[in-house]
Amino acid sequence: MRYSIISVLSQGLRGQKGWTRAWRDAEPRPQYDVVIVGGGGHGLATAYYLAKEHGISNIAVLEKSYIGSGNVGRNTTIIRSNYLHPANARFYEWSLKLWEGLEQDLNYNVMVSQRGVLNLFHSDGQRDAFARRGNAMRLNDIDAGLLDEAEVRRLLPYLDFDNARFPIRGGLLQPRGGTVRHDAVAWGYARGADRRGVDIIQNCEVTGIRIERGRVAGVETNRGFIRAGKVALCCAGNSSQVATMAGLRLPIESHVMQAFVTESVKPLVDMVVTFGAGHFYISQSNRGGLVFGGDIDGYNSYAQRGNLPTVEAVMESAMALMPGLGRLRVLRQWGGLMDMSMDGSPIIGLTPVEGIYLNAGWCYGGFKATPASGWCFAWTIARNQPHELNAPFRLDRFASGHVIDEKGAGAQPNLH
Amino acid sequence: MRIHCPYCGERGVEEYSYRGDATVRRPDANGPDALERFVEYLHLRDNPAGSHQEFWQHLHGCRAWLVVQRDVRTHAIESVIAASRRVAR
């Protein structure tokens, strides 16, 4: 069913009884051209763009749980492209451009809200660094503006500008950044892929990858063997586990990251604000809850839950930035698994095993990348070579020395 | 998460600094395949979903380096020894 004002009105007159399910609950077939392992945002986007851009529709997306159960439903919904490094800037800007047209493309309301992303700075040195980043962004045709303290005061009067340790001196604004309803992204891509013939198979866990004469033959699952011409791995958080099935050892550690949401309040924070003196970012959901998070906990974890010292650090940052937050109660707190790569940048490309393609290492920046990740990965799978946009994110860059280390932290995953 | 330091006793995780996978070993720089081995040493990790051997430093305590065996699915600590006591393989 195509969604439109007419469908909304006619369903309103019929008591909302005629809505059909958005995608089929498919059963696995014995053979596919492409099997995508992982039904998160990136896997579903990959299936969608394979079908839409490359005419390949004999595809299965295998999800071990239900659609939306992983990181696509656990992130803080922020989109932006305020990167310094040219490879990152080009890739994330393409993602932002795809976000801008996504609702029309998918015929699905994913609530793209370009409310602006403001990175605050707290010292002269940080102002210089942010000015440099803003200039780099503008050289890459990305919108950026440097705001002084008075301008930030006008926008966000409730911040603690005169904090004794971290006074707010201004901010770098990307007006086109913002937020997107995260699980609607999964649903929209799932529906779009399904309408083009893709089988989305839930509760189907891959338990092995069969390789015959150096080439992939298919995947073993808890619902039987599925033969596949190509296998695409899209399971950030568990990438190392799945890659091991194909004999690959990845430059990735799995870490836990926590996020928080408060009780609902009236409209208060009308943009995405990040604290420059710690790692903290906050926005307000359409339901009214303030959504925020901080750093990863910093140690290997597959637990999908974190520890209290990180909670304390996030709350301290919150209070240093916006003291009024102390009057709110935190309703929920949760953790997600991060594929922390060795240089802080993702991996999208070919692998040493013929027919296996890898999309991994998203650190905690995977959500905003969803459209471009799927778009580039679909290109890579269909043509058996990376697109210009994802060519720098190749797996063998670690061996050749072409790492993309935006923060300059070195090969220490917990520092990115 | 609380880690039992062999010198200081049980302390909260906030006193410690995580120093990563303790199973990787620095390769011989003069070996014939040194370049390949160093790429593996620096970048590649087993990243198991289960028992994980890792370095922690008791940074805000006695500053000793520890080797901790920990289940990364539950965060349960299985054993802690001082890194200096680990028998070289």
PDB file of all heavy atoms in Angstrom, chain B residues 13-25:
ATOM      1  N   VAL B  13      35.743  -0.119  39.392  1.00  0.00           N
ATOM      2  CA  VAL B  13      36.381  -0.085  38.077  1.00  0.00           C
ATOM      3  C   VAL B  13      36.885   1.326  37.731  1.00  0.00           C
ATOM      4  O   VAL B  13      37.807   1.488  36.928  1.00  0.00           O
ATOM      5  CB  VAL B  13      35.408  -0.618  37.002  1.00  0.00           C
ATOM      6  CG1 VAL B  13      34.258   0.354  36.758  1.00  0.00           C
ATOM      7  CG2 VAL B  13      36.123  -0.927  35.700  1.00  0.00           C
ATOM      8  N   GLU B  14      36.319   2.357  38.385  1.00  0.00           N
ATOM      9  CA  GLU B  14      36.732   3.730  38.072  1.00  0.00           C
ATOM     10  C   GLU B  14      38.167   4.019  38.502  1.00  0.00           C
ATOM     11  O   GLU B  14      38.762   5.006  38.075  1.00  0.00           O
ATOM     12  CB  GLU B  14      35.762   4.748  38.680  1.00  0.00           C
ATOM     13  CG  GLU B  14      35.702   4.766  40.196  1.00  0.00           C
ATOM     14  CD  GLU B  14      34.695   3.799  40.788  1.00  0.00           C
ATOM     15  OE1 GLU B  14      34.399   2.766  40.131  1.00  0.00           O
ATOM     16  OE2 GLU B  14      34.216   4.057  41.899  1.00  0.00           O
ATOM     17  N   GLU B  15      38.748   3.145  39.368  1.00  0.00           N
ATOM     18  CA  GLU B  15      40.147   3.336  39.766  1.00  0.00           C
ATOM     19  C   GLU B  15      41.116   2.780  38.725  1.00  0.00           C
ATOM     20  O   GLU B  15      42.317   3.013  38.799  1.00  0.00           O
ATOM     21  CB  GLU B  15      40.424   2.634  41.107  1.00  0.00           C
ATOM     22  CG  GLU B  15      39.805   3.334  42.300  1.00  0.00           C
ATOM     23  CD  GLU B  15      40.337   2.788  43.622  1.00  0.00           C
ATOM     24  OE1 GLU B  15      41.358   2.059  43.616  1.00  0.00           O
ATOM     25  OE2 GLU B  15      39.724   3.102  44.647  1.00  0.00           O
ATOM     26  N   TYR B  16      40.588   2.027  37.767  1.00  0.00           N
ATOM     27  CA  TYR B  16      41.452   1.304  36.828  1.00  0.00           C
ATOM     28  C   TYR B  16      41.382   1.910  35.432  1.00  0.00           C
ATOM     29  O   TYR B  16      40.390   2.532  35.060  1.00  0.00           O
ATOM     30  CB  TYR B  16      41.014  -0.160  36.741  1.00  0.00           C
ATOM     31  CG  TYR B  16      41.157  -0.930  38.033  1.00  0.00           C
ATOM     32  CD1 TYR B  16      40.157  -0.886  39.000  1.00  0.00           C
ATOM     33  CD2 TYR B  16      42.290  -1.691  38.284  1.00  0.00           C
ATOM     34  CE1 TYR B  16      40.271  -1.591  40.182  1.00  0.00           C
ATOM     35  CE2 TYR B  16      42.419  -2.408  39.467  1.00  0.00           C
ATOM     36  CZ  TYR B  16      41.410  -2.360  40.415  1.00  0.00           C
ATOM     37  OH  TYR B  16      41.535  -3.061  41.574  1.00  0.00           O
ATOM     38  N   SER B  17      42.427   1.672  34.682  1.00  0.00           N
ATOM     39  CA  SER B  17      42.459   2.097  33.290  1.00  0.00           C
ATOM     40  C   SER B  17      42.608   0.849  32.418  1.00  0.00           C
ATOM     41  O   SER B  17      43.449  -0.001  32.689  1.00  0.00           O
ATOM     42  CB  SER B  17      43.638   3.043  33.094  1.00  0.00           C
ATOM     43  OG  SER B  17      43.725   3.420  31.746  1.00  0.00           O
ATOM     44  N   TYR B  18      41.769   0.765  31.378  1.00  0.00           N
ATOM     45  CA  TYR B  18      41.764  -0.423  30.524  1.00  0.00           C
ATOM     46  C   TYR B  18      42.890  -0.340  29.505  1.00  0.00           C
ATOM     47  O   TYR B  18      43.036   0.684  28.833  1.00  0.00           O
ATOM     48  CB  TYR B  18      40.414  -0.517  29.808  1.00  0.00           C
ATOM     49  CG  TYR B  18      40.235  -1.765  28.989  1.00  0.00           C
ATOM     50  CD1 TYR B  18      40.200  -3.010  29.589  1.00  0.00           C
ATOM     51  CD2 TYR B  18      40.087  -1.697  27.611  1.00  0.00           C
ATOM     52  CE1 TYR B  18      40.015  -4.158  28.844  1.00  0.00           C
ATOM     53  CE2 TYR B  18      39.893  -2.835  26.854  1.00  0.00           C
ATOM     54  CZ  TYR B  18      39.863  -4.066  27.479  1.00  0.00           C
ATOM     55  OH  TYR B  18      39.689  -5.198  26.738  1.00  0.00           O
ATOM     56  N   ARG B  19      43.690  -1.406  29.394  1.00  0.00           N
ATOM     57  CA  ARG B  19      44.823  -1.376  28.465  1.00  0.00           C
ATOM     58  C   ARG B  19      44.746  -2.462  27.397  1.00  0.00           C
ATOM     59  O   ARG B  19      45.731  -2.788  26.771  1.00  0.00           O
ATOM     60  CB  ARG B  19      46.151  -1.472  29.235  1.00  0.00           C
ATOM     61  CG  ARG B  19      46.317  -0.442  30.348  1.00  0.00           C
ATOM     62  CD  ARG B  19      46.034   0.994  29.891  1.00  0.00           C
ATOM     63  NE  ARG B  19      46.973   1.480  28.912  1.00  0.00           N
ATOM     64  CZ  ARG B  19      47.973   2.314  29.167  1.00  0.00           C
ATOM     65  NH1 ARG B  19      48.161   2.767  30.392  1.00  0.00           N
ATOM     66  NH2 ARG B  19      48.761   2.711  28.216  1.00  0.00           N
ATOM     67  N   GLY B  20      43.543  -3.036  27.226  1.00  0.00           N
ATOM     68  CA  GLY B  20      43.310  -3.888  26.053  1.00  0.00           C
ATOM     69  C   GLY B  20      43.681  -5.352  26.192  1.00  0.00           C
ATOM     70  O   GLY B  20      44.089  -5.828  27.251  1.00  0.00           O
ATOM     71  N   ASP B  21      43.504  -6.032  25.071  1.00  0.00           N
ATOM     72  CA  ASP B  21      43.715  -7.478  24.945  1.00  0.00           C
ATOM     73  C   ASP B  21      45.119  -7.873  25.411  1.00  0.00           C
ATOM     74  O   ASP B  21      46.110  -7.336  24.914  1.00  0.00           O
ATOM     75  CB  ASP B  21      43.513  -7.838  23.465  1.00  0.00           C
ATOM     76  CG  ASP B  21      43.465  -9.337  23.221  1.00  0.00           C
ATOM     77  OD1 ASP B  21      44.107 -10.091  23.973  1.00  0.00           O
ATOM     78  OD2 ASP B  21      42.783  -9.738  22.259  1.00  0.00           O
ATOM     79  N   ALA B  22      45.188  -8.828  26.359  1.00  0.00           N
ATOM     80  CA  ALA B  22      46.486  -9.235  26.905  1.00  0.00           C
ATOM     81  C   ALA B  22      47.034 -10.487  26.227  1.00  0.00           C
ATOM     82  O   ALA B  22      48.068 -11.012  26.638  1.00  0.00           O
ATOM     83  CB  ALA B  22      46.363  -9.473  28.411  1.00  0.00           C
ATOM     84  N   THR B  23      46.357 -10.963  25.179  1.00  0.00           N
ATOM     85  CA  THR B  23      46.846 -12.183  24.531  1.00  0.00           C
ATOM     86  C   THR B  23      47.786 -11.878  23.371  1.00  0.00           C
ATOM     87  O   THR B  23      48.529 -12.743  22.937  1.00  0.00           O
ATOM     88  CB  THR B  23      45.673 -13.034  23.991  1.00  0.00           C
ATOM     89  OG1 THR B  23      44.973 -12.275  23.007  1.00  0.00           O
ATOM     90  CG2 THR B  23      44.725 -13.429  25.107  1.00  0.00           C
ATOM     91  N   VAL B  24      47.735 -10.639  22.860  1.00  0.00           N
ATOM     92  CA  VAL B  24      48.627 -10.323  21.733  1.00  0.00           C
ATOM     93  C   VAL B  24      50.042 -10.097  22.262  1.00  0.00           C
ATOM     94  O   VAL B  24      50.232  -9.523  23.326  1.00  0.00           O
ATOM     95  CB  VAL B  24      48.136  -9.097  20.922  1.00  0.00           C
ATOM     96  CG1 VAL B  24      46.871  -9.426  20.164  1.00  0.00           C
ATOM     97  CG2 VAL B  24      47.912  -7.894  21.813  1.00  0.00           C
ATOM     98  N   ARG B  25      51.021 -10.580  21.517  1.00  0.00           N
ATOM     99  CA  ARG B  25      52.423 -10.450  21.937  1.00  0.00           C
ATOM    100  C   ARG B  25      53.220  -9.718  20.868  1.00  0.00           C
ATOM    101  O   ARG B  25      53.061  -9.991  19.677  1.00  0.00           O
ATOM    102  CB  ARG B  25      53.047 -11.843  22.157  1.00  0.00           C
ATOM    103  CG  ARG B  25      52.420 -12.618  23.298  1.00  0.00           C
ATOM    104  CD  ARG B  25      52.620 -11.889  24.612  1.00  0.00           C
ATOM    105  NE  ARG B  25      51.799 -12.447  25.662  1.00  0.00           N
ATOM    106  CZ  ARG B  25      52.197 -13.406  26.489  1.00  0.00           C
ATOM    107  NH1 ARG B  25      53.388 -13.917  26.369  1.00  0.00           N
ATOM    108  NH2 ARG B  25      51.390 -13.857  27.419  1.00  0.00           N
TER     109      ARG B  25
END
